[in-house]
Amino acid sequence: MSTTAPAKTTEPTGSSPADDLTSDAATGNRERARGSRPDGGPVRRAGSRPTDRSGRQTFGRAVHAEWVKVRTLRSTWITAFIAVGVTVLFSTAISIAYASIPEMADGAADGVIAGNQFGQIVVAVLGALIITGEYSSGQIRSSLAAVPNRWRLLVAKAIVVGALSFVIGALSTLLTWAVSTPFMDGHGGSLTDPEYLGFVWGTGLSFTGIALMSLGLGFLLRSTAGTITLALTLLFVIDLPLSLMALKWDWAISLQGFEPLQAAMAVYDPFHHMVAWGQAGSMYFLQQWQAALVFGAWAFVPLALGLVVFSRRDA
């Protein structure tokens, strides 16, 4: 007699669709709690904007970072205020004085650039502080960690320093014109005159060149005291012995024509209202375009040398 065993009921090994949905929902909740989607992408919260999480350094970011550093330094604004104040003070005083002298009244309008050399000396200090301050504080190591490409870091600093210096120079001339014109008895210039407006952008360019020269010296020397001393020597001190030697030797007169502050006149007086260039036997023996090239060399040669040295030695 045979017996038949009862059929054994087997449970399905797979989960039901309802269980799958429940499990997926739980997984999604956990992923959202961790800040990512189940597919691996980031969760975007309502009202938030997508951000670039690549961390890739670009030239634009380097320039922006340098601008943030420069504008958050108290020394930047103190030095800029002094540069504008000194330039406006001397230029305004000279313009008004010229207007009060009948023999000089016709050239009184050109006095708006008479104090430029004083402002350029202060801007040279600003250009030095922006880089040497990082070396003295150790900030340069953080800058290189953020921007390992050294030429990019140097060029970004140069752009920020140049732009800021241009604004300081142009603003100084505009303020001088605004302050002095009401006291000049009709001898002031007009900003609608393209040649007179050349004083504004010309002064801005000359301030930019001096600041870049000082920035390049800062990369070379890494010392605030050393950089400022050398910059002031080139701008001002060296002219004293050359002036004395020029009393006896003609070659000293020629050397004066290559000084950065003398060559800068070809830039901030672009339509040669105050200087007649090409005068043999004087410090203005160069043609105006030649003097402008000399000034450009003072700006970019120290910067190029600074890049070479900056690229080859440790921070």
Side-chain angles (χ1 to χ4, degrees), residues 52-179:
D52 182 7
R53 300 178 184 272
S54 65
R56 185 169 58 91
Q57 180 57 249
T58 64
F59 183 73
R61 289 177 177 176
V63 173
H64 176 71
E66 291 303 318
W67 167 239
V68 170
K69 285 191 289 185
V70 167
R71 69 180 174 83
T72 52
L73 290 173
R74 184 181 303 175
S75 60
T76 298
W77 301 111
I78 293 175
T79 310
F81 177 80
I82 294 174
V84 173
V86 168
T87 306
V88 173
L89 177 62
F90 281 95
S91 298
T92 300
I94 293 173
S95 298
I96 295 175
Y98 281 1
S100 64
I101 303 174
E103 296 81 5
M104 306 181 70
D106 291 340
D110 299 340
V112 293
I113 58 174
N116 280 2
Q117 293 185 345
F118 299 99
Q120 288 166 347
I121 292 174
V122 181
V123 164
V125 175
L126 175 63
L129 290 176
I130 285 177
I131 177 58
T132 58
E134 290 203 26
Y135 277 108
S136 62
S137 65
Q139 176 66 34
I140 189 65
R141 290 188 289 272
S142 299
S143 298
L144 288 173
V147 187
N149 191 317
R150 297 197 176 202
W151 77 263
R152 179 179 293 173
L153 178 62
L154 184 144
V155 174
K157 282 186 180 294
I159 289 177
V160 171
V161 171
L164 178 61
S165 301
F166 181 90
V167 172
I168 291 174
L171 180 62
S172 298
T173 303
L174 290 173
L175 287 177
T176 299
W177 173 83
V179 173

Side-chain angles (χ1 to χ4, degrees), residues 120 123-124 126-128 161-162 165 206-216:
Q120 288 166 347
V123 164
L126 175 63
V161 171
S165 301
S206 69
F207 276 48
T208 297
I210 296 297
L212 292 180
M213 180 193 77
S214 191
L215 180 69

